[in-house]
Amino acid sequence: MRIKTFEAYQIAYRQSVEDPEGFWAEVAQQFQWRKPWKKVLSWNFNEANVKWFEGGVLNITENALDRHLAQIGNQPAIIWEPNDPEDKAVSISYNVLHDRVCRFANVLKKHGVKKGDRVCIYLPMVPELTVAVLACARIGAIHSVVFGGFSAKSIADRINDAECNMVITSDGAYRGSKVIPMKETVDAALDQCRSVKHVIVMTRTRTPVSMLKGRDLWWEEEVKHVDSVCAAEPMDAEDPLFILYTSGSTGKPKGVVHTCGGYMVYAAYTFANVFQYEPEEVYFCTADIGWITGHSYIVYGPLCTGATSLIFEGVPTYPDASRLWQIVEKHQVNILYTAPTAIRSLMSFGLDYVKGHDLSSLKKLGSVGEPINEEAWHWFKTNIGSDNCPLADTWWQTETGGIMISPLAGITHEKPTFATLPLPGIQPVIVDENGKEIEGNGVSGNLCMKFPWPGIIRTTYGDHERCKQTYFSTYPGMYFTGDGCLRDEDGYYRITGRVDDVLNVSGHRIGTAEVENAINMHLGVVESAVVGYTHDIKGQGIYAYVIAESEPEDAEMFRKDIAATVSRIIGPIAKPDKVQFVTGLPKTRSGKIMRRILRKISEGDMGNLGDISTLLDPAVVEDIKRGAL
Ligand code: 7RM
């Protein structure tokens, strides 16, 4: 299962293409199953149907916890670094984590949560978040983690879509110098949710909260009164494990569903191989568990590998821009997995923040979330990795469950800005606009997958048709990623970014339609169009063109009101960076907004706007150009 040389990678890759079922069966055998599977794979991309390890029975927490207790029960499973560096870090062994997960699983059961029920988790980056996630998995409840930066309305939409009957949250959250009220936000969300029977509240900030009799429960109180034994629920390989909402080019975020067997195999296999994890290494992923990177590479992948996973509560710039390097030194971190936006931000503070920190424990680096530019790649490699750490630029998506295209650290030859080669089991194809495969090297186009892998999305919760439409209908017979890419002369892949209306702002995935809908909810807004533009630190910034009912008297104030509205409707991560008031939008005769033109203008690229012959009213474009920010 572990690949140690490039030749071994080539052999594994060939085998995975020639005999995918044989290949994945061998990988899956390394895990603990209650019952073996009957069929490794059945699939039909036209119907968006994929099943792995059918008939197999397992519980992922037995693989993440129980399986390790005899050998490494006393090894830290989690090291937790709090927001405030003066506060004490906490180390939680596999034994203790097992105990806490079982207890909390019993709390969930006691309050009526059953296999198949949906549980919404809205927590800061504290060990309890991992405990809550694993406790759900222990009893077969489907967790839906909502990132702590989302608004009450976003939480409500997600709770209602999945009809969650339980919410797990905290009184508040520490994030840098801020204290964020979490329970208050949940309370506001719950005004619009009827399915929720109980809310469990963990104490973090001692922020005053209103606890509703009969509904709300204190975490600390509840865990006192339960048993520490909780048998793991036997799960079919294709039973859902979790739902994670992610933005697309249209409509509200979709609930991406991953299932127990395939997801586990894929998350753990990719973790062990990409990072070449060795026993006792300390691994630090800076993502939030509210995103897929946190699910797969803070919780499930590392724990199913018996790794030590560091969880950081705060932000890289608090108390100052040296915080990550302090953490690396303090906990002797061996593997650091972070995002280009974090690297660019820390880069901008200068090397003084890096100097003076002993980073010699670092052995391997990783990057994820967006294309990494050449400057950031070299800065990370040289100044953080001292030019002797491999750097894995890992390309993947919420929908893929795990890393798809990436170097194996220290094994695959690297090229700056290239995600390099597909992992074993992954069969990428590049297609043109007509869906025709472009073969050979030195080509570019849209990135698709022509064969399933165990971590592939199974459905979008409650709406399978949407899953089919979004991922399997653009290019029939293939999974469409939404990304553009090129394959160079050596067959190496470089992902160039989204080709649809999805933005990537500081590694956060945001749909332009979502932001437009939020802006349009503001009083006095007639219509809006949102595009992404190149931003030095965030990767992309949000540029909104807004038609106001009447010319705003105080444009600056109106901009702030719009930002506040977006914050309220989606969350602060979706606030537009620029708002330009316009009198019209460039539309085709059939009424479609020509975003291509708006994108060019937002980049300051006014000269050549391309073909504008289908434009209804060219004068609109001249107006917008004149007012460009
Ligand atoms: C893991 C994650 C997915 C989108 C994806 C890409 C972009 C992610 C890279 C990347 C270039 C990378 N899941 N993306 N990693 N682009 N190189 N190494 O980010 O669902 O939130 O986003 O992110 O556009 O489609 S995600």
Side-chain angles (χ1 to χ4, degrees):
M1 183 174 148
R2 276 295 289 281
I3 295 168
K4 297 267 178 205
T5 63
F6 192 68
E7 290 66 42
Y9 159 75
Q10 289 174 310
I11 291 166
Y13 189 80
R14 211 173 307 125
Q15 193 209 340
S16 78
V17 172
E18 284 164 6
D19 176 20
E21 297 195 29
F23 175 82
W24 286 112
E26 207 179 308
V27 174
Q29 261 156 26
Q30 322 269 320
F31 296 86
Q32 194 174 305
W33 297 78
R34 293 274 192 97
K35 255 196 224 164
W37 54 86
K38 294 206 171 67
K39 193 165 178 3
V40 177
L41 168 68
S42 47
W43 66 294
N44 174 359
F45 272 179
N46 294 320
E47 293 302 319
N49 286 333
V50 180
K51 287 180 177 158
W52 283 94
F53 311 116
E54 229 180 323
V57 174
L58 78 157
N59 185 291
I60 195 168
T61 69
E62 288 187 329
N63 286 277
L65 300 170
D66 305 62
R67 189 165 57 117
H68 306 310
L69 300 186
Q71 295 281 321
I72 52 166
N74 292 323
Q75 181 201 293
I78 293 173
I79 296 172
W80 178 65
E81 171 71 17
N83 181 61
D84 185 338
E86 304 293 325
D87 289 349
K88 227 174 139 271
V90 176
S91 172
I92 300 172
S93 67
Y94 273 95
N95 282 328
V96 172
L97 184 60
H98 176 264
D99 182 87
R100 293 188 62 182
V101 167
C102 288
R103 274 179 202 278
F104 195 65
N106 282 328
V107 171
L108 294 177
K109 272 206 225 169
K110 179 176 160 192
H111 293 289
V113 181
K114 296 182 300 295
K115 177 176 180 173
D117 287 355
R118 280 77 57 212
V119 173
C120 173
I121 304 177
Y122 186 70
L123 279 171
M125 286 285 283
V126 290
E128 285 77 2
L129 174 47
T130 303
V131 171
V133 162
L134 294 173
C136 287
R138 187 80 177 172
I139 63 169
I142 303 168
H143 55 77
S144 166
V145 182
V146 176
F147 172 61
F150 279 118
S151 69
K153 176 153 191 330
S154 295
I155 301 168
D157 285 348
R158 286 158 173 75
I159 289 175
N160 289 335
D161 186 75
E163 297 178 275
C164 298
N165 56 16
M166 167 80 83
V167 179
I168 303 166
T169 189
S170 65
D171 50 355
Y174 293 120
R175 228 182 125 70
S177 55
K178 291 189 215 126
V179 182
I180 297 156
M182 302 287 275
K183 172 64 162 57
E184 198 181 296
T185 306
V186 167
D187 285 338
L190 292 188
D191 288 342
Q192 310 159 55
C193 304
R194 308 192 41 180
S195 54
V196 175
K197 300 285 174 288
H198 289 292
V199 181
I200 300 181
V201 184
M202 176 248 161
T203 312
R204 175 66 188 118
T205 55
R206 296 185 143 265
T207 306
V209 289
S210 85
M211 294 290 283
L212 213 63
K213 202 178 286 169
R215 187 192 73 180
D216 299 351
L217 306 155
W218 288 113
W219 176 301
E220 296 76 12
E221 201 47 44
E222 290 300 318
V223 292
K224 280 186 202 155
H225 310 297
V226 289
D227 205 83
S228 65
V229 178
C230 177
E233 185 74 30
M235 302 294 285
D236 286 335
E238 283 298 337
D239 279 339
L241 173 64
F242 66 83
I243 305 170
L244 186 57
Y245 285 84
T246 194
S247 296
S249 49
T250 56
K252 283 185 180 176
K254 302 174 282 282
V256 172
V257 175
H258 285 289
T259 58
C260 297
Y263 173 81
M264 170 185 77
V265 168
Y266 198 66
Y269 176 78
T270 51
F271 172 77
N273 281 292
V274 169
F275 298 108
Q276 292 289 304
Y277 185 82
E278 294 293 338
E280 292 176 34
E281 282 183 333
V282 176
Y283 162 85
F284 176 20
C285 167
T286 68
D288 192 289
I289 293 174
W291 308 112
I292 191 68
T293 303
H295 281 61
S296 301
Y297 299 112
I298 295 179
V299 182
Y300 289 116
L303 297 183
C304 288
T305 309
T308 297
S309 181
L310 193 149
I311 299 181
F312 173 39
E313 184 182 34
V315 293
T317 49
Y318 179 82
D320 65 43
S322 69
R323 186 65 191 278
L324 294 187
W325 324 131
Q326 275 178 41
I327 295 173
V328 167
E329 178 171 356
K330 176 171 167 191
H331 297 290
Q332 292 290 291
V333 171
N334 304 114
I335 308 174
L336 177 64
Y337 190 27
T338 191
T341 187
I343 298 167
R344 287 191 300 264
S345 157
L346 297 177
M347 228 167 99
S348 75
F349 285 90
L351 280 174
D352 283 350
Y353 288 92
V354 182
K355 280 186 203 136
H357 292 283
D358 178 9
L359 303 180
S360 61
S361 60
L362 283 175
K363 290 193 234 161
K364 289 157 263 188
L365 305 175
S367 166
V368 62
E370 39 170 333
I372 183 165
N373 51 307
E374 192 143 2
E375 200 190 350
W377 194 96
H378 284 292
W379 189 88
F380 195 32
K381 182 105 178 159
T382 302
N383 297 301
I384 306 306
S386 310
D387 277 321
N388 60 25
C389 294
L391 165 51
D393 175 4
T394 65
W395 174 83
W396 60 295
Q397 311 177 291
T398 305
E399 295 88 341
T400 69
I403 298 169
M404 301 282 283
I405 303 181
S406 168
L408 303 178
I411 291 176
T412 311
H413 170 74
E414 293 167 5
K415 281 185 199 182
T417 78
F418 280 74
T420 74
L421 298 171
L423 297 188
I426 304 309
Q427 300 188 36
V429 280
I430 299 181
V431 299
D432 65 19
E433 305 87 84
N434 307 316
K436 207 177 133 12
E437 180 172 350
I438 309 172
E439 287 178 83
N441 289 340
V443 297
S444 64
N446 292 346
L447 180 62
C448 293
M449 299 293 153
K450 65 175 173 192
F451 198 85
W453 60 99
I456 190 174
I457 178 176
R458 297 305 196 273
T459 191
T460 46
Y461 193 79
D463 190 355
H464 191 67
E465 193 54 35
R466 193 166 178 205
C467 176
K468 232 162 89 176
Q469 277 301 322
T470 311
Y471 306 106
F472 298 96
S473 70
T474 317
Y475 303 111
M478 286 187 259
Y479 166 85
F480 177 42
T481 64
D483 280 313
C485 82
L486 65 82
R487 187 168 51 216
D488 75 0
E489 294 301 337
D490 300 324
Y492 273 46
Y493 289 83
R494 176 185 182 170
I495 316 300
T496 44
R498 303 290 304 197
V499 295
D500 54 10
D501 294 319
V502 172
L503 307 179
N504 195 327
V505 181
S506 301
H508 299 151
R509 195 169 145 176
I510 300 168
T512 51
E514 261 178 282
V515 184
E516 288 164 6
N517 290 337
I519 294 174
N520 296 350
M521 284 172 92
H522 187 66
L523 184 75
V525 170
V526 177
E527 202 186 352
S528 62
V530 164
V531 297
Y533 69 97
T534 312
H535 187 289
D536 282 350
I537 306 252
K538 298 180 178 187
Q540 275 188 310
I542 302 180
Y543 195 125
Y545 298 88
V546 175
I547 306 178
E549 237 161 55
S550 53
E551 187 161 344
E553 265 172 39
D554 183 341
E556 215 28 63
M557 201 60 224
F558 198 27
R559 281 197 182 94
K560 284 186 183 149
D561 290 344
I562 287 172
T565 307
V566 174
S567 242
R568 186 70 195 272
I569 304 292
I570 306 175
I573 55 171
K575 276 194 286 198
D577 298 272
K578 293 182 180 179
V579 176
Q580 180 183 348
F581 294 105
V582 298
T583 52
L585 292 168
K587 290 193 179 174
T588 62
R589 272 174 256 278
S590 57
K592 273 188 81 171
I593 295 172
M594 294 180 79
R595 282 165 203 285
R596 181 175 51 80
I597 294 178
L598 295 177
R599 258 182 240 125
K600 286 226 161 179
I601 297 176
S602 72
E603 299 283 3
D605 184 8
M606 315 278 178
N608 177 17
L609 293 182
D611 180 11
I612 54 166
S613 59
T614 53
L615 203 57
L616 185 64
D617 178 8
V620 164
V621 175
E622 290 311 311
D623 261 10
I624 298 177
K625 272 161 72 175
R626 265 194 300 278
L629 302 170

